[in-house]
């Protein structure tokens, strides 16, 4: 008897479903793409329990008649392809003919559809088998209702994330698709709560709806073509520091894709501007049909390029070209023409000569007691032919009399920190006695190296501590104690609340961690729309880092979402909070802060490593030092 045998249709369908429908977000992606291909101008998505219980996608596209309803849930049925050559000239999203069949194989799927001509119907499929079919009246378009996803594949259902995690993944799919099609209205609801609404409009407006208006306003337009590769879209300036990994969007002909080479090209283009630069990018690629292949991954996430190195270079050049154009557009102009350099003016014979300028310029209109060197300058142009001082005949005007524009001897130093309120003299004060000579510097027990490491001597040699890793360990254990014992951390209330804009994804995460945030010293509340106000922050956190700390915290919690296990969830919260609030590399510490940090580290449960596993300290023994200096 042959050992090789044909698989049953049931097993084949489940295998195919596992490749295409990995989680609820995969089903949402396929159904949205079908709606776009159907010419929809409005797409509504509603889910329950992270999509495990219910996914409903409704569109106002061209709909399906009875004949199409009988075929749409079967494998390898499609309206997009007629022959193999069509695979290389695709202008639609769905083309494999596996999406609806895969969803129907692992759920209870109800399809209701109607055409413009009034032909309509409903079909119910469970586990790939039709269990109900009827003719009904419906509005033009199609509604897919997916219930009990993976009910017959319990292992896959077990490996799904928490409800919050799955909702976040679906939101990511909705946002990416909405950005790629700003002309379509999108509505995304979790239960009865509206999470995202995208109103038809231009691309920048859709980006503002998706990731925040503050970020969108500062984006720079990209439009660059090289070697047949066209790159368009928007990128953030090099000063952006709040960009997240989920704020980098890449599209191939309006289809969301992933490609590590393009992501690396973006990173390389921003690399010269420092590690603190975290860009926001929305890039659309276009090139000849034969230069790319979208048919690589069953879920159509990845794209393969015929010449990946060329695409890498073009994307890098496109970003840097945008930076150059922005720099040129906003740089001041210095006019070195004869008119501004004081050179001779060319006068034609038919034009009467202009009267000569007086030797001493007239008093400027602003009545200042000194001459304004930019009085005659063009906008953004420095006039270099006039001196900053008065001519000799009027040079003593400031010393001879007082003016209402004179400044006092003592003025507020605008460059000092306002909280110190120092009054610093701009004139040397000879009435005060000279300060006593400084005493020779005595090294403290511990001192900083490059404002990053703490060094000191102990009985065995030289001890070197990473201040960020050490502080992260201390704060992590403090946070765990607060969360487990319901203890409120010390916080400082802000005199003037700081306003921040949260993206749609950050708002969803905030809803689930607001209580933990308050225990750890952050008090953040809605202010209207996507704007939130920070009312108080942890007592040890500088005010200047408040907004960034909130953004970083929400991003880290998203990556470590494990709310199904409360202990792991608390650890994820504590890790994110500790990393966000800890001393950073480059922070200058006071001697008392150094002493306190070392003392607190030594009494933690695990002082040798941070909660992320990196070492907090290292020791160079006397023997190791001795070996370094031996000849």
């Amino acid at each position: 008897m042959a050992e090789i045998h044909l698989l049953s249709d049931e097993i084949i369908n489940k295998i195919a479903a596992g490749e295409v429908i990995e989680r609820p977000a995969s089903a949402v992606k396929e159904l949205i793409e079908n709606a776009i291909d159907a010419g929809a101008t409005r797409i509504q998505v509603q889910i329950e329990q992270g999509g495990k219980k219910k996914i409903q996608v409704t569109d106002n596209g061209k709909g399906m008649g009875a004949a199409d309803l009988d075929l749409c849930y079967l494998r390898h049925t499609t309206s997009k392809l007629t022959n193999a050559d069509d695979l290389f000239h695709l202008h639609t999203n769905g083309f494999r003919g596996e999406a609806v069949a895969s969803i129907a194989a692992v759920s209870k799927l109800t399809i209701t559809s109607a055409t413009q001509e009034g032909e309509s119907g409903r079909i119910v499929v469970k586990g790939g088998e039709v269990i109900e079919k009827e003719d009904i009246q419906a509005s033009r378009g199609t509604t897919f209702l997916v219930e009990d996803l993976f009910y017959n594949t319990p292992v896959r259902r077990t490996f799904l994330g928490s409800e919050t995690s799955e909702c976040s993944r679906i939101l990511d799919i909705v946002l990416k698709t909405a950005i790629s099609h700003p002309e379509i209205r999108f509505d995304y609801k979790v239960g009865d709560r509206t999470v995202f609404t995208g109103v038809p409009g231009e691309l920048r407006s859709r980006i503002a709806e998706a990731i925040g208006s503050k970020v969108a306003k500062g984006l720079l337009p990209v439009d660059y073509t090289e070697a047949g590769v066209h790159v368009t879209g928007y990128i953030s300036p090099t000063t952006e520091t709040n960009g997240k990994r989920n704020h980098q969007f890449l599209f191939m002909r309006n289809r969301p894709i992933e490609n590590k080479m393009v992501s690396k090209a973006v990173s390389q283009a921003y690399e010269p501007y420092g590690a603190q630069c975290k860009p926001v990018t929305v890039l659309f690629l276009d090139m000849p049909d034969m230069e790319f292949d979208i048919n690589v991954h069953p879920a159509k996430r990845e794209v393969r390029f015929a010449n990946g190195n060329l695409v890498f270079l073009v994307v890098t050049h496109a970003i840097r070209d945008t930076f150059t154009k922005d720099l040129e557009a906003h740089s001041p102009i210095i006019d070195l023409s004869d008119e501004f350099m004081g050179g001779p003016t060319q006068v034609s014979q038919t034009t009467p000569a202009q009267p000569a300028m007086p030797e001493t310029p007239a008093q400027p209109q602003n009545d200042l007691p000194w001459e304004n060197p930019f009085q005659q300058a063009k906008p953004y142009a420095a006039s270099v032919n006039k001196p900053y001082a008065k001519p000799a005949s009027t040079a003593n005007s400031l010393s001879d009399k007082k003016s209402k524009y004179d400044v006092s001897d003592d003025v507020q130093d605008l460059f000092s920190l306002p909280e110190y309120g120092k009054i610093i003299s701009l004139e040397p004060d000879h009435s005060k006695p000279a300060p006593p000579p400084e005493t020779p510097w005595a090294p403290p027990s511990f001192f900083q190296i490059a404002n990053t490491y703490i060094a000191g001597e102990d009985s065995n040699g030289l001890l070197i501590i990473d201040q960020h890793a050490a502080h992260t360990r201390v704060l992590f254990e403090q946070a765990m104690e607060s969360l487990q014992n319901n203890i409120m951390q010390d916080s400082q209330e802000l005199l003037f609340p700081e306003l921040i804009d949260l993206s749609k994804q950050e708002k969803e995460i905030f809803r689930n961690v607001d209580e933990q945030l308050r225990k750890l010293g952050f008090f953040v509340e809605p202010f209207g729309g996507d704007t939130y106000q920070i009312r108080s922050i942890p007592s040890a956190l500088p005010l200047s880092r408040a907004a960034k700390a909130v953004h970083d915290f929400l991003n880290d919690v998203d990556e470590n979402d494990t709310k199904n296990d409360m202990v792991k969830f608390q650890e994820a919260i504590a890790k994110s909070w500790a990393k966000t609030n800890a001393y950073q590399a480059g922070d200058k510490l006071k001697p008392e802060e150094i002493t306190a940090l070392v003392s607190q580290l030594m009494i933690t449960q695990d002082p040798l490593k941070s909660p992320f596993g990196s070492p907090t300290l290292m020791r160079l023994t006397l023997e190791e030092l001795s070996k370094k200096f031996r000849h």
Side-chain angles (χ1 to χ4, degrees), residues 458-469:
D458 69 356
S459 58
N460 294 320
L462 180 64
L463 195 66
I464 302 177
I465 300 173
D466 183 324
Q467 66 187 37
H468 176 69

Side-chain angles (χ1 to χ4, degrees), residues 545-572:
R545 282 172 48 191
K548 189 175 188 301
V550 173
H551 285 296
D552 290 347
F553 177 81
L554 295 176
N555 186 55
D556 287 334
V557 173
D558 179 32
E559 295 174 356
N560 299 296
D561 178 58
T562 50
K563 199 170 184 178
N564 288 339
D565 186 329
M566 183 52 65
V567 175
K568 290 184 178 179
F569 180 67
Q570 289 177 340
E571 289 181 353

